[in-house]
Amino acid sequence: AAFVGLAQLPLTPNGKLDRKALPAPDAQAVVTRAYAPPQNAIEQALVTIWAELLGVEKIGRHDHFFELGGHSLLAVRLLSRLQSALSVALPLTTLFAQPELSALAGIIARSELQALPAITPVSREAPLGVSFAQQRLWFLSQLEGVSASYHVPWGVRLSGTLDRAAWRKSL
């Protein structure tokens, strides 16, 4: 963001703002923040993650995620990285409400750690349970009957011999 003082705005012959005639801001007009290094481990972890995601080398504790080039897609990636690196799950609205590094670090410090459960192997000897998505589809089919919304018609041209038992099992 930059602020340039003008006695009056340049106008086109139609009385509209003439954007091409606006002066370019000089170095004095650009809003800058003094660099302040991270003060604790959480701020240092945030600096490391932000630097990787945003491609910015020097990030201070008063820097703003969106002013450094962050956007909603990077914000989602940031929250995912925070989950894995710091074991903290934050809603996306938290980053939009507190985009300054030190403020976000304070929220993380006050948050409860949420370690993800370990992924354990499941025996393949018995049939596996259905997923939530499969349960939803079954429920909808019971509620509404057969619906063309969830059917995907397709055709296959096969060549060679067909193992009918393997084909039936795969379907």
Side-chain angles (χ1 to χ4, degrees), residues 46-118:
L46 280 174
V47 165
T48 302
I49 295 169
W50 284 25
E52 291 173 6
L53 288 176
L54 300 171
V56 176
E57 291 181 23
K58 191 172 186 179
I59 298 174
R61 65 185 315 262
H62 299 298
D63 284 331
H64 188 285
F65 181 76
F66 298 105
E67 289 177 2
L68 293 177
H71 49 75
S72 59
L73 295 178
L74 284 177
V76 171
R77 289 180 57 197
L78 169 66
L79 296 178
S80 173
R81 298 280 299 275
L82 290 177
Q83 174 75 39
S84 61
L86 301 176
S87 299
V88 174
L90 297 176
L92 188 58
T93 55
T94 301
L95 180 60
F96 281 97
Q98 300 293 334
E100 188 176 293
L101 189 129
S102 61
L104 187 61
I107 290 171
I108 291 170
R110 292 186 298 274
S111 297
E112 292 183 22
L113 299 181
Q114 299 177 348
L116 293 173

Side-chain angles (χ1 to χ4, degrees), residues 9 20 53 70-71 78 108 111 115 124-125 131 137:
L9 293 174
K20 294 177 184 174
L53 288 176
H71 49 75
L78 169 66
I108 291 170
S111 297
R124 302 292 182 180
E125 294 174 6
S131 69
L137 290 174

Side-chain angles (χ1 to χ4, degrees), residues 9-18:
L9 293 174
L11 302 176
T12 65
N14 294 333
K16 295 182 179 181
L17 177 64
D18 187 356

Side-chain angles (χ1 to χ4, degrees), residues 128-140 150:
L128 298 174
V130 296
S131 69
F132 292 119
Q134 291 169 326
Q135 288 176 11
R136 185 186 79 239
L137 290 174
W138 179 85
F139 175 78
L140 290 174
Y150 296 103

